[in-house]
Amino acid sequence: CSILIVDDEYGVRSGIRTILEMVGYEVGEAGDGAGALLALEERDYDVALLDYRLPDTDGLSLLQTMKQRGCDAMVCMITAYANIDTAIAATRQGVDFFLPKPFSPDDLQGVIETLLRHRRARADAERLRAEHEASLLALAEERTQTHSLVSSLRDAVMVVNRDGDAVLANPPMLELLGLGEDDVLMRPAQELLGGGALAPLCEQLATPARDRTVRQLELGEQTYMASIVTFRDEAGEARGRILTLSDISEVRRLAMEKERFIRTMVHEL
């Protein structure tokens, strides 16, 4: 880990440097604000120890410039002019720790260890946040792709979650239900299907005997093949079900015509 010491007193910088290098830290130093900014341009540091009073600026002004330039080092303000007002002002402006002079080597090492723990925790939190945002983005893209795919199907499709609520219905399904999308989403599927020719599907959606069930339905003059498929997670738990209604009226009509043709041929023979 790397530490930057910013103090106008050479003896203070030298003493801190000796203590920190003895325990294995990489140490850089600067005697004023300009030197500190130059050091930060040359490399990144994990922790910066800033003296409150510097020849060309003060520690808080230097801190603001560091943040404007994208420095993400943990910052400890060190000063011989410590008072409660200074400490409060420093904390409000982004100082992570306030260490009054004089301090012992143990005090210094304790502060550095604390700041490094906080830096690791902050990095872990940022990594988790980035992973979470990436997962949400991937999920959103996946849902968008799924929604586009389902919407383009000629078959009527409804996706039901584990609670039995409709979470997706494509235009052919909405047309069969006679409802708009806002009237369907997150409503119980049994409520949507329970008032007509689709009512027989309610029990199968709630407690299907198998992971895939198929049945034939008559809806007015049309004939549909209803398929209910249960989809599961990696642990085998049911996450929801997909109801698909395929219009087989034309297929059925052709089958009936074929059957009549065969009967006629048999009769003629």
Side-chain angles (χ1 to χ4, degrees):
C1 296
S2 55
I3 316 294
L4 175 63
I5 308 164
V6 185
D7 196 298
D8 61 333
E9 296 183 39
Y10 174 78
V12 173
R13 297 200 308 271
S14 178
I16 294 176
R17 182 178 196 124
T18 299
I19 294 170
L20 296 180
E21 287 183 338
M22 286 178 61
V23 293
Y25 294 118
E26 296 180 18
V27 182
E29 59 179 85
D32 54 24
L37 295 175
L38 181 61
L40 289 167
E41 288 179 359
E42 294 175 350
R43 62 162 299 172
D44 294 329
Y45 287 89
D46 297 305
V47 175
L49 304 175
L50 307 183
D51 189 16
Y52 184 71
R53 292 189 177 181
L54 295 167
D56 55 351
T57 186
D58 63 81
L60 294 180
S61 297
L62 175 59
L63 172 60
Q64 295 309 308
T65 304
M66 290 167 56
K67 289 186 176 297
Q68 290 170 5
R69 296 189 178 188
C71 176
D72 65 348
M74 303 295 291
V75 175
C76 174
M77 189 70 68
I78 53 176
T79 181
Y81 308 96
N83 58 61
I84 187 64
D85 293 334
T86 304
I88 292 174
T91 302
R92 286 177 176 174
Q93 294 189 47
V95 171
D96 299 296
F97 213 97
F98 195 82
L99 183 63
K101 296 178 181 178
F103 48 82
S104 69
D106 289 340
D107 292 335
L108 177 62
Q109 291 184 45
V111 168
I112 297 297
E113 290 171 1
T114 298
L115 291 175
L116 289 174
R117 283 198 303 271
H118 288 177
R119 181 175 173 81
R120 286 191 291 269
R122 188 171 67 183
D124 289 342
E126 178 63 23
R127 175 181 56 80
L128 291 173
R129 184 195 63 78
E131 290 176 356
H132 180 62
E133 289 183 351
S135 298
L136 289 178
L137 179 60
L139 180 60
E141 291 176 348
E142 181 180 345
R143 285 180 174 175
T144 299
Q145 293 169 357
T146 301
H147 191 282
S148 299
L149 175 62
V150 172
S151 295
S152 68
L153 296 176
R154 296 177 61 185
D155 294 338
V157 179
M158 177 188 292
V159 181
V160 179
N161 63 17
R162 68 172 69 192
D163 297 322
D165 298 327
V167 294
L168 180 60
N170 69 349
M173 177 61 76
L174 296 175
E175 184 176 351
L176 281 178
L177 296 174
L179 298 171
E181 187 174 24
D182 291 340
D183 300 319
V184 170
L185 297 184
M186 301 315 297
R187 282 181 59 186
Q190 293 202 17
E191 180 182 317
L192 296 169
L193 304 174
L198 296 175
L201 299 174
C202 293
E203 183 177 351
Q204 289 181 306
L205 271 175
T207 55
R210 297 179 299 276
D211 276 359
R212 187 173 191 272
T213 59
V214 179
R215 65 173 298 162
Q216 189 170 298
L217 285 176
E218 303 291 335
L219 300 178
E221 297 181 355
Q222 303 298 108
T223 303
Y224 288 86
M225 186 65 68
S227 168
I228 298 175
V229 177
T230 301
F231 55 95
R232 303 180 181 275
D233 58 21
E234 295 179 354
E237 296 292 327
R239 298 294 304 274
R241 296 179 177 91
I242 302 174
L243 166 63
T244 304
L245 295 173
S246 303
D247 189 345
I248 60 169
S249 303
E250 185 65 18
V251 175
R252 189 184 182 199
R253 185 187 66 79
L254 291 174
M256 292 176 65
E257 291 290 338
K258 180 180 179 181
E259 184 178 346
R260 279 198 296 268
F261 174 76
I262 292 174
R263 283 202 304 266
T264 301
M265 293 298 297
V266 170
H267 178 73
E268 293 293 333
L269 293 173

